[in-house]
Amino acid sequence: MTAVADPARVRPPGPSPWTAPVLLGRMARNRLDVMRAVAARHGDAVRLPLGPKTLWFFNHPDHAKHVLAENPGNYHKGIGLVHARRTLGDGLLTSEGELWTKQRKVIQPVFQARRIARQADAVAEESVRMAARLQRAVGAGPVDIRHEMTELTLGVLGRTLLDADLGEFGGIGAAFEAVQDQAIFEMMSLGAVPPWVPLPRQRRFRRARAELQEIVDRLVAHRRAQPGGIAGRDDVVSRLIESTSRETDPRVARQRMRDELVTLLLAGHETTASTLTWTFYLLDRHHEVWERMHAEAVEVLGDRNPTYEDLHRLRYTAMVVEEVMRLYPPVWLLPRIAQGDDVVGGWHVPAGADVVLCPYTLHRHPEFWPDPDRFDPDRFDPDRRADRPRYAYIPFGAGPRFCVGNNLGLMEAVFVLACVTRQLRLSLQPGYPVVPEPMLTLRVRGGLPMHVHEA
């Protein structure tokens, strides 16, 4: 049965269109602050005029459930997609319809629970190796913890999904930072600056994109040159070689391969690296949380490497990761375009409307999260989360496009934190300028210098 809008609620409330220039200026300075402000003032459904665009902003668990899980076929990827496609092409994050379904079938088996369990030893080894690197930095001056986490997550990605040593390719993290900066700039400027304008950021973007494409081409060439080729392998590169070999046009096959691998390189390392960076930032501000994590790691692990079976034993550490992703979700905005008329929470949504869900604001909704800005891992104690709506917390999205790598990312984060907090404590460089939190949410820019101390 088709939902029917309440006649009195045809169009959500929101700021006047005349405020668009002011809103755009505020969005450029602090977009997350604007999203929180309009939700606080206008409610859970807001019509937000932004110059040439008008956003239908929905901020309730029921809204997220409807758009992402109950009627996902009506909502394709939205604002920002064209900018993401300049880097990712038609990879798994940006494709739609039949192509996305085919890509998901190729990638999904690599993330099955049994295979992820078999990768636990590799994740543990990389985590222990990283903790040993930090150990050597005790008393030796600050380390850039974001750089360390990026190197770690790329190492894990290479071993668990690609069967490759990504350490051979210097500059992957810097290249992704350049292309992400450009994509965010284009999205927030609503494409007002044409891509051909020779700005320095445009030149950096083109160089970085070319570098990433060269890296994935080398990964594929290396795999094809190995004795036996892809026979008997179940890593992503081998699966994609097999899948794209069915394309009749070799140019299409090559582009599909590039799109998928660049997408995997980005999604497979950046979100976990960001979550871990924010965790260490918050642990420095909440020593009591570090104390509990340290005690748990010592009790559960002793001096051995973590195993897959330890995941359910490192319960508090997992709660800390969940709370960090509540405050600093890996993806702060989920944009969609309505393909047909719909009703969301009683509000009419016309075909073609730009619909946005914002995990950052949803995760701080005061109705579902008391004292929402406070860092409190105990929120995720099973006894406290029972009555919370399922869609009040969507760090990995929801519905058919739920993040395929969530289990690997969580295992990686828990193992890393247990290995580090078992023996070390990190503290922010004194005098480091801490940017207001809403600006930090997207990524920690310019690194995060931290001193390493013995536990």
Side-chain angles (χ1 to χ4, degrees), residues 13-20 23 38 41-42 46-49:
S16 163
W18 296 105
T19 65
L23 282 174
V38 297
R41 180 171 181 179
H42 298 285
V46 183
R47 191 169 181 270
L48 190 59

Side-chain angles (χ1 to χ4, degrees), residues 39 62 80 115 145 150 163 193 215 239 301 304-305 316 338 380 402:
D62 291 344
R115 187 182 186 280
I145 201 64
T150 298
D163 193 17
V193 181
I215 288 171
R239 286 181 171 276
L301 300 180
R304 63 175 175 80
N305 288 7
Y316 184 70
F380 289 91
F402 185 79

Side-chain angles (χ1 to χ4, degrees), residues 96-371:
E96 295 285 358
E98 185 178 338
L99 175 59
W100 176 83
T101 301
K102 180 163 56 173
Q103 292 168 331
R104 183 87 174 200
K105 286 181 179 178
V106 172
I107 298 296
Q108 183 78 48
V110 180
F111 293 94
Q112 287 178 344
R114 284 178 296 179
R115 187 182 186 280
I116 295 301
R118 293 198 303 270
Q119 301 297 322
D121 287 346
V123 177
E125 288 167 10
E126 292 293 323
S127 301
V128 170
R129 189 174 294 125
M130 187 274 302
R133 288 199 304 271
L134 291 179
Q135 179 79 49
R136 292 192 292 271
V138 173
V143 298
D144 180 351
I145 201 64
R146 176 168 177 81
H147 173 76
E148 291 291 337
M149 294 306 105
T150 298
E151 292 295 308
L152 164 82
T153 54
L154 284 171
V156 170
L157 172 65
R159 290 189 63 179
T160 60
L161 299 182
L162 303 177
D163 193 17
D165 181 5
L166 294 181
E168 298 177 6
F169 307 104
I172 293 181
F176 274 120
E177 184 128 345
V179 297
Q180 285 178 283
D181 282 345
Q182 179 64 19
I184 291 170
F185 170 76
E186 291 182 9
M187 183 176 71
M188 298 316 301
S189 64
L190 301 177
V193 181
W196 51 262
V197 175
L199 297 175
R201 67 167 61 245
Q202 296 275 24
R203 293 195 293 271
R204 286 195 300 271
F205 167 78
R206 284 190 283 270
R207 286 196 301 269
R209 182 176 59 182
E211 181 179 354
L212 291 171
Q213 291 180 343
E214 179 186 355
I215 288 171
V216 300
D217 287 348
R218 288 168 59 190
L219 282 171
V220 173
H222 177 70
R223 180 55 42 76
R224 282 179 167 147
Q226 288 183 333
I230 63 173
R233 293 178 175 271
D234 70 343
D235 60 273
V236 171
V237 178
S238 299
R239 286 181 171 276
L240 287 174
I241 290 174
E242 181 182 7
S243 172
T244 57
S245 67
R246 304 186 189 106
E247 296 285 353
T248 56
D249 187 337
R251 291 174 299 178
V252 172
R254 184 185 185 195
Q255 193 58 54
R256 265 199 59 204
M257 180 76 73
R258 281 180 165 181
D259 292 349
E260 290 288 9
L261 286 177
V262 170
T263 297
L264 184 72
L265 283 171
L266 172 62
H269 91 277
E270 209 280 336
T271 53
T272 305
S274 179
T275 295
L276 286 167
T277 303
W278 286 121
T279 303
F280 288 118
Y281 169 78
L282 288 167
L283 290 179
D284 178 45
R285 303 175 68 183
H286 300 272
H287 290 180
E288 73 285 357
V289 175
W290 179 89
E291 294 284 357
R292 288 180 64 180
M293 291 177 66
H294 169 73
E296 180 178 77
V298 169
E299 178 183 355
V300 171
L301 300 180
D303 58 0
R304 63 175 175 80
N305 288 7
T307 66
Y308 187 74
E309 290 71 26
D310 290 323
L311 279 175
H312 75 275
R313 301 186 187 110
L314 293 165
R315 175 178 171 181
Y316 184 70
T317 303
M319 289 162 53
V320 170
V321 174
E322 290 182 287
E323 174 70 345
V324 172
M325 290 192 296
R326 181 187 72 83
L327 288 171
Y328 300 108
V331 178
W332 73 277
L333 195 71
L334 298 174
R336 298 290 188 267
I337 294 179
Q339 303 303 294
D341 287 3
D342 197 12
V343 176
V344 178
W347 301 101
H348 175 245
V349 176
D354 284 287
V355 173
V356 295
L357 302 166
C358 182
Y360 180 87
T361 56
L362 186 60
H363 291 181
R364 297 170 186 252
H365 196 304
E367 183 178 343
F368 310 105
W369 305 98
D371 197 3

Side-chain angles (χ1 to χ4, degrees), residues 2-3 55-58 62-79 81 93-97 100 334-357 398-401:
T2 303
L55 306 184
W56 271 252
F57 169 34
F58 292 104
D62 291 344
H63 302 159
K65 180 180 180 181
H66 179 83
V67 171
L68 299 177
E70 293 180 337
N71 195 19
N74 190 55
Y75 295 94
H76 289 188
K77 289 292 184 83
I79 185 172
L81 179 62
L93 291 179
T94 52
S95 60
E96 295 285 358
W100 176 83
L334 298 174
R336 298 290 188 267
I337 294 179
Q339 303 303 294
D341 287 3
D342 197 12
V343 176
V344 178
W347 301 101
H348 175 245
V349 176
D354 284 287
V355 173
V356 295
L357 302 166
R401 300 196 76 130

